[in-house]
Amino acid sequence: MAAKKKGGLINRLIMGSEKSEGYARASLPSNRWELFFDIFKGRFWKLVIVNLLTLIFFIPLIVLIFFRYVALLNYGIMAPFSQGFGVGYQGVSSLVGFNESIVLNVNMMMYLFLPIAVMIAMVGVSGGAYVIRNMVWTEGIFVSNDFWRGIKQNIGQLLLAGLVYSIIFYIVNISIGMVDQVLAVGGGIGWLLTLSKVLSIILLVFISMMFMHMVTMSVTYKLTFWQLIKNAFMFTLGLLPQNIFFLAVGLVPFILMLFGGFFFTIGIILALLFGISYFLLVWTDFCQWAYDKFINDRVPGAQKNRGIYEKVKESDSGALKQYREQLAMSARSSLNSRPIKPITDDELTIAELPTSFNRDDIKRLNESKKVIYEDHERYIEEHKNDPEFQRSEEEIQMEKDQEEREKRIEKAKKELSKRKK
């Protein structure tokens, strides 16, 4: 019994309560925060599968980062930072700027392969972002099929976006490395070089946010590449605080790696399990809110608030009141307002057909049905004036109001059709 309860608890934590007895429209997400937690809880294992599929295409990029780390480590071992001179090491007159020079040279060499690695990674991103978009829209998904469909639909623009981003990243990163080296040896104007480094970092962060907007827009709308750049720039600049916040929230598993030790291990586990899909979910959910607010009203056929459900309040809902009045009217339909004879007469039965029946058996069956029908009609005629079956004045007035309302609607439709002609 305990094992059964434990299994039920784990199932509710992972799969959510969508199959419980209390499941109703009131439990559906009514805002983007609730939608995020609903997806993360209810489709957790699909997020894991999406992450693993996307991670396959990130292998070249991960290998490149690893080789860069190994190259820096090897240079650090071979360089005479702490070894005694004269024992197999060539004398170095000064080590100032030596470390910065190593980092710059390694980056210049390794990041030459960055465009190739990023473009391969974008194949996975195009599929993963498409699946996550469908999750945020609360559409039914088949992860593998939708993943490959997303690649087929979005790979062209995202490959180009990845190429442009990787080239900009290379140029900015090398520029920062050069500034570090000049600052280390004491050359140039210090404050001016520091300012240029800070501006370069800000530019790189800004371009990164633009790049993520391009990914999300590409799987949401049909836009040209120039339109992607233009819209991404506007959303990055106009929603800068929100962009920074959600970028930080989405990168939590990767930020943990920066602290080293135990946090590095936790970060690696989270990143391998759902790091990329978690980031795509956070960013896509945020972007869909932004698109509903600024774009979807201007796009013909675009649907707003996909995936969320508005909760109507009693205090400010005239539509809800009208809806309930209509329900009250429909409750007093012809089936409720007319007498129905209780099923108490044992003598009125329907003739049963034998296993092998003939024309006479069918005739007896039809006659028995006719007798029951006639008996019921007699009961209605006898009891139609009984008080419990009389309609109240309020109900009659409501029905008249409804008929007048329908007539006005029909009249307005005719007027509109005439104006169009």
Side-chain angles (χ1 to χ4, degrees):
M1 184 69 178
K4 184 178 180 180
K5 289 183 178 179
K6 183 178 179 182
L9 175 62
I10 294 174
N11 182 70
R12 287 194 298 273
L13 288 174
I14 295 176
M15 302 304 294
S17 58
E18 59 183 351
K19 293 185 179 180
S20 67
E21 295 179 358
Y23 183 73
R25 184 180 179 87
S27 65
L28 295 174
S30 60
N31 56 59
R32 293 293 171 186
W33 290 102
E34 292 180 5
L35 178 62
F36 167 78
F37 289 110
D38 187 72
I39 294 174
F40 190 79
K41 179 178 64 174
R43 297 189 171 187
F44 178 80
W45 292 114
K46 288 188 177 181
L47 290 174
V48 173
I49 296 173
V50 172
N51 190 76
L52 294 176
L53 287 173
T54 309
L55 199 61
I56 294 174
F57 297 91
F58 273 74
I59 291 176
L61 184 59
I62 296 171
V63 170
L64 178 63
I65 295 172
F66 175 75
F67 275 122
R68 176 184 177 274
Y69 170 76
V70 171
L72 289 173
L73 193 64
N74 289 335
Y75 271 108
I77 293 173
M78 294 185 296
F81 289 111
S82 58
Q83 294 86 349
F85 297 144
V87 187
Y89 287 92
Q90 184 178 3
V92 180
S93 58
S94 175
L95 294 176
V96 175
F98 198 73
N99 181 57
E100 289 75 12
S101 178
I102 290 175
V103 174
L104 177 60
N105 290 330
V106 170
N107 286 345
M108 290 180 66
M109 178 180 62
M110 290 296 177
Y111 285 156
L112 285 174
F113 301 96
L114 185 64
I116 299 174
V118 169
M119 290 176 71
I120 296 174
M122 293 311 297
V123 178
V125 170
S126 60
Y130 179 81
V131 176
I132 298 298
R133 185 214 68 178
N134 289 347
M135 285 187 182
V136 172
W137 285 359
T138 61
E139 295 184 354
I141 61 169
F142 296 93
V143 175
S144 58
N145 291 341
D146 286 355
F147 187 85
W148 296 115
R149 185 179 295 111
I151 292 176
K152 183 179 178 180
Q153 291 182 6
N154 306 295
I155 188 60
Q157 286 189 332
L158 292 187
L159 280 179
L160 185 56
L163 176 63
V164 173
Y165 175 74
S166 60
I167 293 174
I168 294 175
F169 182 91
Y170 180 86
I171 295 172
V172 174
N173 191 275
I174 298 304
S175 300
I176 293 173
M178 290 179 177
V179 170
D180 286 337
Q181 186 177 20
V182 175
L183 285 174
V185 298
I189 304 173
W191 70 268
L192 190 59
L193 290 172
T194 303
L195 179 61
S196 67
K197 178 180 177 180
V198 172
L199 292 177
S200 297
I201 295 173
I202 293 174
L203 175 63
L204 189 58
V205 174
F206 188 87
I207 294 297
S208 299
M209 290 187 290
M210 276 188 61
F211 172 69
M212 290 310 307
H213 273 295
M214 291 175 69
V215 171
T216 314
M217 287 183 183
S218 178
V219 300
T220 306
Y221 304 103
K222 291 183 179 180
L223 302 171
T224 64
F225 189 73
W226 171 247
Q227 289 174 329
L228 278 180
I229 295 176
K230 179 183 176 181
N231 291 340
F233 176 80
M234 294 174 62
F235 272 87
T236 305
L237 186 62
L239 299 173
L240 191 59
Q242 295 93 326
N243 289 325
I244 295 173
F245 174 77
F246 286 104
L247 187 67
V249 172
L251 292 175
V252 166
F254 304 96
I255 293 174
L256 289 175
M257 300 181 194
L258 302 177
F259 294 97
F262 172 76
F263 292 102
F264 179 81
T265 304
I266 296 297
I268 286 289
I269 294 173
L270 295 180
L272 293 177
L273 193 61
F274 55 78
I276 300 174
S277 58
Y278 165 78
F279 174 78
L280 289 173
L281 175 60
V282 171
W283 190 260
T284 302
D285 196 23
F286 156 63
C287 287
Q288 293 301 321
W289 165 82
Y291 301 159
D292 284 338
K293 189 172 183 179
F294 299 106
I295 292 183
N296 288 337
D297 286 331
R298 304 178 183 179
V299 177
Q303 299 182 32
K304 291 187 64 175
N305 300 323
R306 298 185 69 168
I308 60 177
Y309 303 86
E310 183 179 0
K311 293 181 180 179
V312 182
K313 296 181 180 179
E314 293 274 350
S315 58
D316 58 359
S317 176
L320 181 62
K321 184 179 179 181
Q322 181 180 352
Y323 174 69
R324 288 180 173 173
E325 289 177 354
Q326 292 174 353
L327 282 181
M329 289 182 59
S330 62
R332 293 297 302 237
S333 63
S334 59
L335 294 176
N336 305 95
S337 59
R338 63 183 299 186
I340 299 177
K341 184 178 180 181
I343 305 175
T344 55
D345 296 342
D346 296 332
E347 68 275 7
L348 296 176
T349 58
I350 296 178
E352 297 183 2
L353 291 176
T355 305
S356 299
F357 57 89
N358 52 32
R359 187 180 297 274
D360 293 334
D361 295 326
I362 296 176
K363 185 177 180 181
R364 282 194 296 272
L365 174 62
N366 292 332
E367 289 176 352
S368 65
K369 288 181 180 180
K370 183 178 179 181
V371 170
I372 293 175
Y373 175 78
E374 291 174 350
D375 182 72
H376 181 66
E377 290 297 320
R378 283 195 301 271
Y379 183 86
I380 293 175
E381 186 66 25
E382 293 171 1
H383 296 275
K384 64 180 181 179
N385 295 323
D386 291 357
E388 62 267 27
F389 300 116
Q390 300 304 308
R391 298 167 60 195
S392 65
E393 294 181 0
E394 185 181 18
E395 291 172 342
I396 295 173
Q397 185 61 39
M398 289 176 62
E399 185 174 353
K400 289 182 179 179
D401 293 341
Q402 179 66 19
E403 290 177 356
E404 291 178 0
R405 190 181 298 110
E406 291 177 353
K407 289 179 181 179
R408 289 196 301 268
I409 292 173
E410 290 296 326
K411 185 177 179 180
K413 288 181 178 179
K414 291 180 181 179
E415 290 293 332
L416 288 174
S417 62
K418 290 179 181 178
R419 292 178 184 178
K420 289 180 179 179
K421 292 179 180 178

